[in-house]
Amino acid sequence: MEVLNMPKDEYLTDLADLFKIFGDTTRLRILYALKEREMNVSDLSEVLNMNQSAISHQLKTLRTNKLVATRRDGKAIFYSLADEHIHTIIGSGMEHVLE
């Protein structure tokens, strides 16, 4: 029996890749922090008690995969969640975990 409305394999691959990004605790901690407010690397370092290098490395991955957006203010770069979809994914995932 054929499955109706099955997305193309390339879309399923992209979706699998997206979920892999969420498969790292450090990246999830950063996303959760940014869910509350925009922050720069220094802010994230303090809030998450991590070194700036580790945070910058993970932010690059999140930025590349369009999960975080940036805003420049002078020399500082501020990070925020890219859009409401990311809020929803994190919120829905946590709801599922807490059930």
Side-chain angles (χ1 to χ4, degrees):
M1 177 179 226
E2 188 175 322
V3 177
L4 300 177
N5 297 320
M6 180 62 72
K8 293 180 181 180
D9 284 348
E10 66 187 90
Y11 296 139
L12 292 173
T13 299
D14 291 346
L15 182 60
D17 290 343
L18 174 66
F19 284 122
K20 286 177 190 174
I21 301 303
F22 287 102
D24 180 272
T25 306
T26 300
R27 287 191 290 265
L28 280 175
R29 291 179 71 216
I30 291 169
L31 291 170
Y32 233 91
L34 294 176
K35 190 172 182 278
E36 297 299 316
R37 64 181 170 89
E38 83 173 358
M39 293 185 223
N40 61 27
V41 174
S42 179
D43 295 334
L44 285 164
S45 177
E46 186 176 323
V47 168
L48 300 176
N49 195 29
M50 294 175 56
N51 70 53
Q52 291 185 11
S53 176
I55 290 172
S56 292
H57 175 74
Q58 296 302 337
L59 282 169
K60 181 178 182 202
T61 299
L62 294 170
R63 218 174 42 247
T64 300
N65 288 279
K66 301 177 185 167
L67 298 181
V68 297
T70 59
R71 177 182 66 83
R72 182 176 288 279
D73 185 7
K75 291 184 179 181
I77 298 175
F78 289 88
Y79 296 87
S80 61
L81 296 184
D83 58 41
E84 195 58 39
H85 293 113
I86 310 309
H87 283 271
T88 301
I89 292 168
I90 294 169
S92 293
M94 187 54 74
E95 281 181 36
H96 181 76
V97 167
L98 296 175
E99 286 183 347

